[in-house]
């Protein structure tokens, strides 16, 4: 079913777009720095297959930190709750997403949660497979099923750009390796992680994935349970408590839906039992979240009473 342009959504996009001037693109990753900061688009995917949109929803974006939710869902399915949470914690943090500080003060030195970079690297380390290619294909197969889009792949230019500038993530990996939280070669893990972050899709794909989470892991169009209900619940809980970096508390109060952002300007939203949301707006605030994307979600939540609280 084609996605229908919504005049009502367009009005909200036009209002939120005014805030793009307050943000800047993630130019510390050279390829992401090429994005147009004035872009803003949204797709909303309903469980009956309907979709409404505003803006250029066909534009491809890389997942970046949004991929952390999807890799977590995969390893929970493959490894189980106990295995995963012996190696990464469940607690929110007020520190930036790329901080090493808590690792140095925690004992054992396991990351606080899977949504910060240290935790996400540990989760990616748990993806099963004999090679980077095997493991990436395993994750891609899962994501393609969630989005119902077999064309989803990754952007080699963005992956290369991130790999070449990933010195802070290298530091996190070596710290984790010193404490035996990860045991593989650091460059191999970073190769996989940067390709995971460079997986690309459009807003419509993001919205459909959000809809699967909103429906507790079940594809309502086929009746297939793509992920166990409990896995979807755990992921949505992390999206509420940690999904918007160290702005998650304010986001929960102002907007109040499970969501995960990425520094490409993408936001994946899941309104429990109702629909999924995919947003792209590459101008970021100081926390690394899409400044106009958050404003758009705030307008949506307020106008349609979406908060789960």
């Amino acid at each position: 079913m084609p996605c229908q342009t919504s005049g009502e959504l367009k009005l909200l996009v036009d209002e939120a777009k005014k805030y793009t001037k307050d943000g800047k693109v993630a130019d510390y990753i050279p390829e992401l720095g090429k994005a147009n900061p004035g872009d803003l688009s949204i797709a909303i995917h309903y469980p009956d297959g309907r979709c409404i949109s505003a803006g250029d929803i066909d534009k491809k974006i890389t997942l970046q930190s949004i991929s952390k939710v999807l890799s977590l869902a995969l390893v929970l399915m493959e490894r189980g709750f106990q295995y995963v949470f012996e190696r990464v914690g469940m607690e929110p943090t007020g520190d930036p997403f790329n901080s090493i500080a808590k690792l140095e003060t925690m004992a054992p030195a396991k990351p606080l949660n899977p949504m910060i970079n240290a935790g996400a690297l540990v989760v990616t380390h748990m993806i099963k497979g004999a090679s980077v290619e095997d493991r990436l294909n395993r994750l891609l197969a899962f994501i393609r099923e969630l989005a119902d889009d077999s064309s989803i792949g990754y952007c080699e230019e963005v992956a290369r750009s991130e790999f070449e500038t990933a010195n802070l993530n290298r530091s996190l990996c070596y710290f984790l390796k010193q404490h035996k939280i990860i045991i593989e070669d650091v460059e191999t893990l970073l190769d996989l992680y940067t390709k995971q972050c460079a997986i690309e899709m459009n807003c419509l794909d993001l919205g459909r994935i959000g809809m699967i989470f909103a429906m507790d892991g079940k594809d309502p169009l086929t009746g297939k349970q793509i992920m166990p209900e409990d896995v979807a619940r755990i992921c949505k809980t992390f999206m509420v408590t940690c999904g918007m970096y160290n702005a998650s508390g304010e986001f929960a109060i102002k907007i109040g839906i499970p969501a995960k952002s990425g520094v490409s300007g993408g936001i994946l939203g899941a309104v429990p039992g109702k629909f999924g949301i995919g947003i792209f707006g590459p101008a970021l605030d100081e926390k690394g979240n899409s400044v106009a994307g958050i404003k758009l979600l705030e307008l949506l939540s307020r106008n349609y009473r979406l908060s789960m609280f």
Side-chain angles (χ1 to χ4, degrees):
M1 191 182 294
C3 207
Q4 301 293 315
T5 303
S6 163
E8 210 170 327
L9 266 187
K10 185 181 183 303
L11 287 174
L12 296 180
V13 165
D14 290 343
E15 175 63 26
K17 232 178 188 181
K18 298 171 186 174
Y19 293 83
T20 58
K21 67 182 189 308
D22 299 330
K24 57 177 287 190
V25 297
D27 52 9
Y28 63 91
I29 299 170
E31 281 296 318
L32 296 187
K34 297 175 183 177
N36 175 5
D39 281 347
L40 184 63
S41 52
I42 181 171
I44 295 178
H45 211 298
Y46 292 92
D48 62 2
R50 287 182 303 124
C51 173
I52 58 172
S53 69
D56 184 4
I57 60 161
D58 293 320
K59 186 169 282 190
K60 297 270 189 182
I61 59 171
T62 54
L63 289 179
Q64 301 303 326
S65 285
I66 296 170
S67 70
K68 295 171 180 176
V69 179
L70 309 181
S71 58
L72 175 63
L74 179 66
V75 299
L76 281 168
M77 289 160 63
E78 290 189 337
R79 302 279 193 179
F81 181 92
Q82 185 173 346
Y83 183 96
V84 171
F85 292 114
E86 280 173 355
R87 291 158 176 80
V88 63
M90 305 181 204
E91 297 303 322
T93 174
D95 294 330
F97 62 91
N98 54 5
S99 174
I100 199 170
K102 284 288 193 297
L103 282 178
E104 295 183 291
T105 56
M106 298 291 286
K110 73 178 186 181
L112 274 175
N113 68 68
M115 300 296 113
I116 54 175
N117 285 14
L121 286 160
V122 173
V123 169
T124 299
H125 172 57
M126 296 184 221
I127 297 174
K128 291 182 176 180
S131 65
V132 167
E133 186 179 16
D134 276 357
R135 294 156 81 190
L136 182 65
N137 285 338
R138 201 177 194 97
L139 179 60
L140 278 170
F142 176 55
I143 291 172
R144 286 167 182 156
E145 185 175 21
L146 288 171
D148 191 26
D149 184 351
S150 60
S151 72
I152 289 173
Y154 77 96
C155 177
E156 292 184 16
E157 292 80 13
V158 171
R160 191 179 310 114
S161 184
E162 293 198 51
F163 185 82
E164 289 168 357
T165 56
N167 292 320
L168 190 48
N169 280 340
R170 280 185 177 83
S171 303
L172 292 169
C173 283
Y174 278 112
F175 194 94
L176 292 163
K177 189 165 184 178
Q178 173 68 23
H179 290 271
K180 298 183 172 53
I181 305 292
I182 64 171
I183 53 174
E184 70 178 301
D185 175 71
V186 166
E187 295 302 299
T188 300
L189 176 55
L190 277 173
D191 185 23
L192 175 58
Y193 183 71
T194 52
K195 285 173 178 169
Q196 168 190 311
C197 289
I199 292 171
E200 60 180 358
M201 61 180 64
N202 58 34
C203 275
L204 181 55
D205 292 325
L206 261 186
R208 185 183 146 79
I209 292 173
M211 184 268 291
I212 300 294
F213 278 105
M215 303 309 291
D216 296 327
K218 188 174 188 175
D219 184 343
L221 299 175
T222 65
K224 182 177 180 183
Q225 193 76 38
I226 298 176
M227 73 182 92
E229 191 173 325
D230 208 39
V231 168
R233 180 188 63 79
I234 291 166
C235 290
K236 283 185 289 187
T237 306
F238 277 120
M239 288 161 79
V240 170
T241 59
C242 318
M244 306 303 285
Y245 305 128
N246 47 324
S248 296
E250 183 180 351
F251 184 89
I253 289 168
K254 287 185 174 179
I255 296 162
I257 67 165
K260 183 72 196 86
S261 64
V263 295
S264 59
I267 301 177
L268 167 72
V271 182
K274 292 183 178 176
F275 51 79
I277 303 172
I279 287 177
F280 174 54
L284 308 179
D285 62 21
E286 71 282 355
K287 302 285 176 68
N289 296 314
S290 170
V291 64
I294 284 185
K295 188 64 185 177
L296 180 54
L297 279 174
E298 199 176 316
L299 292 169
L300 273 171
S301 183
R302 191 169 65 218
N303 287 6
Y304 300 104
R305 303 178 67 86
L306 300 182
S307 176
M308 56 191 284
F309 301 110

